[in-house]
Amino acid sequence: MNATSGITRALALKEPYLNRWAMLACGTAAVLSAGLCAFGRVAFNVGAIGWLTAIIACGVMLAIYGVANERKEHSLQFVLSLPVSPRQYIRAKTIGMLLAFLPPWGAAMLAAVALVLLSPGVPDGMLPFVCVIGGFLLANFALVLCGALHARSEGLMVGVIIVTNMAVSIFMFVVGALPGIASHMTGPVPVWNDTVAGVLLAEAVVFVLALLLPQITAARRRDLL
Protein backbone atom coordinates (compact mmCIF):
# COMPACT_ATOMS: atom_id res chain seq x y z
CA MET A 1 0.00 0.00 0.00
CA ASN A 2 1.48 3.37 -1.07
CA ALA A 3 1.20 6.55 0.96
CA THR A 4 -1.64 7.99 -1.12
CA SER A 5 -3.87 4.92 -0.82
CA GLY A 6 -3.11 4.75 2.89
CA ILE A 7 -4.19 8.37 3.36
CA THR A 8 -7.34 7.78 1.29
CA ARG A 9 -8.23 4.79 3.43
CA ALA A 10 -7.60 6.78 6.62
CA LEU A 11 -9.82 9.61 5.36
CA ALA A 12 -12.64 7.13 4.73
CA LEU A 13 -12.30 5.37 8.09
CA LYS A 14 -12.23 8.61 10.06
CA GLU A 15 -15.88 9.29 9.20
CA PRO A 16 -17.46 6.43 11.18
CA TYR A 17 -15.01 7.11 14.00
CA LEU A 18 -15.78 10.82 14.26
CA ASN A 19 -19.51 10.21 13.91
CA ARG A 20 -19.71 7.10 16.11
CA TRP A 21 -21.84 8.74 18.81
CA ALA A 22 -24.31 10.16 16.29
CA MET A 23 -24.48 6.74 14.64
CA LEU A 24 -25.16 5.09 17.99
CA ALA A 25 -27.79 7.66 18.98
CA CYS A 26 -29.65 7.48 15.67
CA GLY A 27 -29.50 3.69 15.47
CA THR A 28 -30.71 3.31 19.04
CA ALA A 29 -33.53 5.81 18.50
CA ALA A 30 -34.67 3.98 15.37
CA VAL A 31 -34.63 0.57 17.07
CA LEU A 32 -36.53 1.86 20.11
CA SER A 33 -39.04 3.61 17.86
CA ALA A 34 -39.63 0.39 15.94
CA GLY A 35 -40.21 -1.43 19.23
CA LEU A 36 -42.72 1.21 20.28
CA CYS A 37 -44.82 0.41 17.21
CA ALA A 38 -45.86 -2.91 18.75
CA PHE A 39 -47.96 -1.27 21.50
CA GLY A 40 -51.13 -0.26 19.72
CA ARG A 41 -52.31 2.07 16.98
CA VAL A 42 -51.26 5.36 18.60
CA ALA A 43 -47.89 3.92 19.61
CA PHE A 44 -47.45 2.60 16.06
CA ASN A 45 -47.97 6.07 14.58
CA VAL A 46 -45.62 7.70 17.08
CA GLY A 47 -43.02 4.98 16.66
CA ALA A 48 -43.19 5.12 12.86
CA ILE A 49 -42.59 8.87 12.91
CA GLY A 50 -39.69 8.40 15.33
CA TRP A 51 -38.22 5.64 13.15
CA LEU A 52 -38.34 7.79 10.02
CA THR A 53 -37.02 10.85 11.85
CA ALA A 54 -34.04 8.96 13.30
CA ILE A 55 -32.90 7.69 9.89
CA ILE A 56 -33.46 10.99 8.10
CA ALA A 57 -31.73 12.96 10.87
CA CYS A 58 -28.76 10.60 10.73
CA GLY A 59 -28.28 11.26 7.02
CA VAL A 60 -28.67 15.02 7.40
CA MET A 61 -26.24 15.23 10.32
CA LEU A 62 -23.63 13.22 8.46
CA ALA A 63 -23.93 15.41 5.38
CA ILE A 64 -23.78 18.65 7.35
CA TYR A 65 -21.05 17.80 9.86
CA GLY A 66 -19.09 15.42 7.67
CA VAL A 67 -19.08 17.42 4.44
CA ALA A 68 -20.50 20.94 4.67
CA ASN A 69 -18.83 21.88 7.97
CA GLU A 70 -15.50 20.54 6.75
CA ARG A 71 -15.58 23.22 4.07
CA LYS A 72 -17.02 25.90 6.37
CA GLU A 73 -14.45 25.35 9.13
CA HIS A 74 -11.59 25.28 6.61
CA SER A 75 -10.43 21.82 7.64
CA LEU A 76 -10.83 20.85 3.99
CA GLN A 77 -7.84 23.05 3.22
CA PHE A 78 -5.69 20.80 5.39
CA VAL A 79 -7.09 17.62 3.82
CA LEU A 80 -6.38 18.90 0.31
CA SER A 81 -2.81 19.75 1.32
CA LEU A 82 -2.23 16.01 1.73
CA PRO A 83 -0.98 13.95 -1.25
CA VAL A 84 -4.49 13.07 -2.47
CA SER A 85 -6.28 14.21 -5.59
CA PRO A 86 -9.77 15.76 -5.57
CA ARG A 87 -11.11 12.51 -7.04
CA GLN A 88 -9.52 10.46 -4.27
CA TYR A 89 -10.90 12.86 -1.66
CA ILE A 90 -14.43 12.59 -3.09
CA ARG A 91 -14.16 8.80 -3.22
CA ALA A 92 -12.87 8.61 0.36
CA LYS A 93 -15.61 10.96 1.59
CA THR A 94 -18.32 8.94 -0.18
CA ILE A 95 -17.08 5.64 1.21
CA GLY A 96 -16.63 7.12 4.68
CA MET A 97 -20.14 8.57 4.74
CA LEU A 98 -21.58 5.23 3.65
CA LEU A 99 -19.65 3.46 6.40
CA ALA A 100 -21.15 5.90 8.88
CA PHE A 101 -24.73 5.71 7.59
CA LEU A 102 -25.15 2.01 6.82
CA PRO A 103 -24.85 0.66 10.42
CA PRO A 104 -27.69 2.78 11.91
CA TRP A 105 -29.75 2.32 8.74
CA GLY A 106 -29.17 -1.43 8.89
CA ALA A 107 -30.12 -1.57 12.57
CA ALA A 108 -33.28 0.40 11.83
CA MET A 109 -34.23 -1.93 8.97
CA LEU A 110 -33.62 -5.07 11.03
CA ALA A 111 -35.78 -3.67 13.82
CA ALA A 112 -38.57 -2.80 11.38
CA VAL A 113 -38.47 -6.21 9.71
CA ALA A 114 -38.50 -7.93 13.12
CA LEU A 115 -41.49 -5.81 14.13
CA VAL A 116 -43.48 -6.89 11.09
CA LEU A 117 -42.59 -10.57 11.35
CA LEU A 118 -42.83 -10.96 15.12
CA SER A 119 -45.57 -8.57 16.21
CA PRO A 120 -49.07 -10.10 16.00
CA GLY A 121 -50.59 -6.63 15.68
CA VAL A 122 -48.69 -5.80 12.49
CA PRO A 123 -49.67 -7.75 9.34
CA ASP A 124 -46.84 -9.50 7.51
CA GLY A 125 -48.14 -7.92 4.31
CA MET A 126 -46.48 -4.69 5.46
CA LEU A 127 -43.01 -6.13 4.88
CA PRO A 128 -42.63 -5.13 1.19
CA PHE A 129 -43.77 -1.59 1.99
CA VAL A 130 -41.25 -1.39 4.85
CA CYS A 131 -38.52 -2.56 2.48
CA VAL A 132 -39.34 0.00 -0.21
CA ILE A 133 -39.42 2.73 2.46
CA GLY A 134 -36.02 1.58 3.69
CA GLY A 135 -34.68 1.54 0.13
CA PHE A 136 -35.98 5.05 -0.42
CA LEU A 137 -34.32 6.33 2.76
CA LEU A 138 -31.01 4.84 1.58
CA ALA A 139 -31.38 6.46 -1.85
CA ASN A 140 -32.46 9.68 -0.16
CA PHE A 141 -29.27 9.73 1.89
CA ALA A 142 -27.24 9.26 -1.29
CA LEU A 143 -29.00 12.30 -2.79
CA VAL A 144 -28.29 14.40 0.32
CA LEU A 145 -24.64 13.33 0.21
CA CYS A 146 -24.48 14.11 -3.50
CA GLY A 147 -25.88 17.58 -2.82
CA ALA A 148 -23.44 18.17 0.04
CA LEU A 149 -20.46 17.24 -2.12
CA HIS A 150 -21.59 19.70 -4.80
CA ALA A 151 -22.98 22.57 -2.70
CA ARG A 152 -20.69 25.49 -1.93
CA SER A 153 -23.21 27.58 -0.01
CA GLU A 154 -25.33 27.01 3.07
CA GLY A 155 -28.44 28.12 1.22
CA LEU A 156 -28.04 25.45 -1.43
CA MET A 157 -27.40 22.81 1.22
CA VAL A 158 -30.52 23.85 3.12
CA GLY A 159 -32.49 23.63 -0.11
CA VAL A 160 -31.26 20.09 -0.73
CA ILE A 161 -32.27 19.04 2.78
CA ILE A 162 -35.73 20.60 2.50
CA VAL A 163 -36.45 19.01 -0.87
CA THR A 164 -35.25 15.54 0.14
CA ASN A 165 -37.18 15.68 3.43
CA MET A 166 -40.37 16.67 1.62
CA ALA A 167 -39.78 13.84 -0.84
CA VAL A 168 -40.12 11.26 1.96
CA SER A 169 -43.77 12.12 2.65
CA ILE A 170 -44.59 12.39 -1.06
CA PHE A 171 -42.97 9.03 -1.75
CA MET A 172 -44.88 7.32 1.05
CA PHE A 173 -48.23 8.65 -0.17
CA VAL A 174 -47.56 7.83 -3.82
CA VAL A 175 -46.02 4.38 -3.36
CA GLY A 176 -48.41 3.46 -0.56
CA ALA A 177 -51.29 4.08 -2.98
CA LEU A 178 -49.96 1.83 -5.75
CA PRO A 179 -52.41 -1.09 -6.20
CA GLY A 180 -49.61 -3.64 -6.26
CA ILE A 181 -48.55 -2.53 -2.78
CA ALA A 182 -51.65 -1.05 -1.14
CA SER A 183 -53.85 -4.08 -1.79
CA HIS A 184 -51.49 -6.42 0.05
CA MET A 185 -50.31 -4.34 3.03
CA THR A 186 -52.98 -5.66 5.38
CA GLY A 187 -52.60 -9.24 4.15
CA PRO A 188 -51.29 -12.14 6.23
CA VAL A 189 -48.25 -12.78 4.00
CA PRO A 190 -45.75 -10.54 2.16
CA VAL A 191 -46.39 -10.27 -1.58
CA TRP A 192 -43.29 -9.59 -3.68
CA ASN A 193 -44.71 -8.63 -7.06
CA ASP A 194 -43.53 -6.62 -10.06
CA THR A 195 -44.59 -3.35 -8.46
CA VAL A 196 -42.36 -3.90 -5.45
CA ALA A 197 -39.50 -5.07 -7.65
CA GLY A 198 -39.86 -2.02 -9.90
CA VAL A 199 -39.78 0.41 -6.97
CA LEU A 200 -36.73 -1.29 -5.44
CA LEU A 201 -34.95 -1.25 -8.81
CA ALA A 202 -35.67 2.46 -9.26
CA GLU A 203 -34.32 3.15 -5.77
CA ALA A 204 -31.17 1.17 -6.53
CA VAL A 205 -30.61 3.16 -9.73
CA VAL A 206 -31.03 6.48 -7.92
CA PHE A 207 -28.69 5.31 -5.16
CA VAL A 208 -25.93 4.33 -7.58
CA LEU A 209 -26.27 7.44 -9.75
CA ALA A 210 -26.25 9.75 -6.73
CA LEU A 211 -23.01 8.19 -5.51
CA LEU A 212 -21.36 8.19 -8.95
CA LEU A 213 -22.25 11.76 -9.93
CA PRO A 214 -19.81 13.47 -7.54
CA GLN A 215 -17.02 11.23 -8.84
CA ILE A 216 -17.70 12.59 -12.32
CA THR A 217 -18.49 16.25 -11.65
CA ALA A 218 -17.31 17.48 -8.23
CA ALA A 219 -14.06 15.52 -8.46
CA ARG A 220 -13.12 17.46 -11.62
CA ARG A 221 -13.14 20.81 -9.87
CA ARG A 222 -9.76 22.40 -9.51
CA ASP A 223 -10.96 24.15 -6.39
CA LEU A 224 -13.13 22.15 -3.97
CA LEU A 225 -13.22 24.86 -1.31
Side-chain angles (χ1 to χ4, degrees):
M1 180 184 297
N2 56 42
T4 299
S5 61
I7 293 174
T8 303
R9 180 181 180 183
L11 289 174
L13 293 178
K14 80 176 177 65
E15 301 300 340
Y17 176 77
L18 292 178
N19 295 286
R20 61 192 184 280
W21 296 116
M23 293 165 59
L24 179 61
C26 292
T28 301
V31 171
L32 293 177
S33 295
L36 180 62
C37 292
F39 296 96
R41 183 181 296 272
V42 175
F44 182 90
N45 293 333
V46 174
I49 293 173
W51 184 83
L52 286 169
T53 301
I55 302 175
I56 294 171
C58 182
V60 170
M61 286 190 297
L62 290 175
I64 291 178
Y65 294 106
V67 181
N69 274 9
E70 192 172 75
R71 183 181 291 110
K72 181 180 178 181
E73 296 173 358
H74 305 295
S75 58
L76 181 56
Q77 293 176 331
F78 168 74
V79 174
L80 295 179
S81 69
L82 300 172
V84 292
S85 67
R87 186 178 301 277
Q88 289 170 322
Y89 165 77
I90 294 292
R91 184 184 305 119
K93 182 62 68 173
T94 301
I95 294 173
M97 289 290 100
L98 282 175
L99 291 175
F101 182 75
L102 287 177
W105 175 84
M109 287 304 301
L110 288 175
V113 170
L115 169 73
V116 174
L117 296 180
L118 300 178
S119 177
V122 181
D124 288 1
M126 283 284 295
L127 185 59
F129 184 64
V130 168
C131 290
V132 299
I133 292 297
F136 177 81
L137 293 174
L138 183 59
N140 195 59
F141 167 71
L143 288 173
V144 173
L145 178 59
C146 179
L149 290 172
H150 283 93
R152 294 190 177 186
S153 67
E154 290 185 5
L156 183 56
M157 190 65 226
V158 170
V160 170
I161 293 172
I162 292 175
V163 170
T164 52
N165 283 356
M166 291 176 59
V168 176
S169 298
I170 296 173
F171 176 85
M172 291 179 64
F173 282 121
V174 172
V175 172
L178 294 176
I181 294 178
S183 59
H184 302 292
M185 281 200 289
T186 57
V189 295
V191 176
W192 305 96
N193 52 31
D194 291 342
T195 301
V196 176
V199 174
L200 291 174
L201 178 60
E203 292 168 346
V205 171
V206 171
F207 175 75
V208 172
L209 291 179
L211 293 183
L212 288 179
L213 185 60
Q215 320 300 321
I216 300 172
T217 55
R220 291 185 176 182
R221 292 177 178 170
R222 293 184 178 181
D223 181 14
L224 289 175
L225 300 178

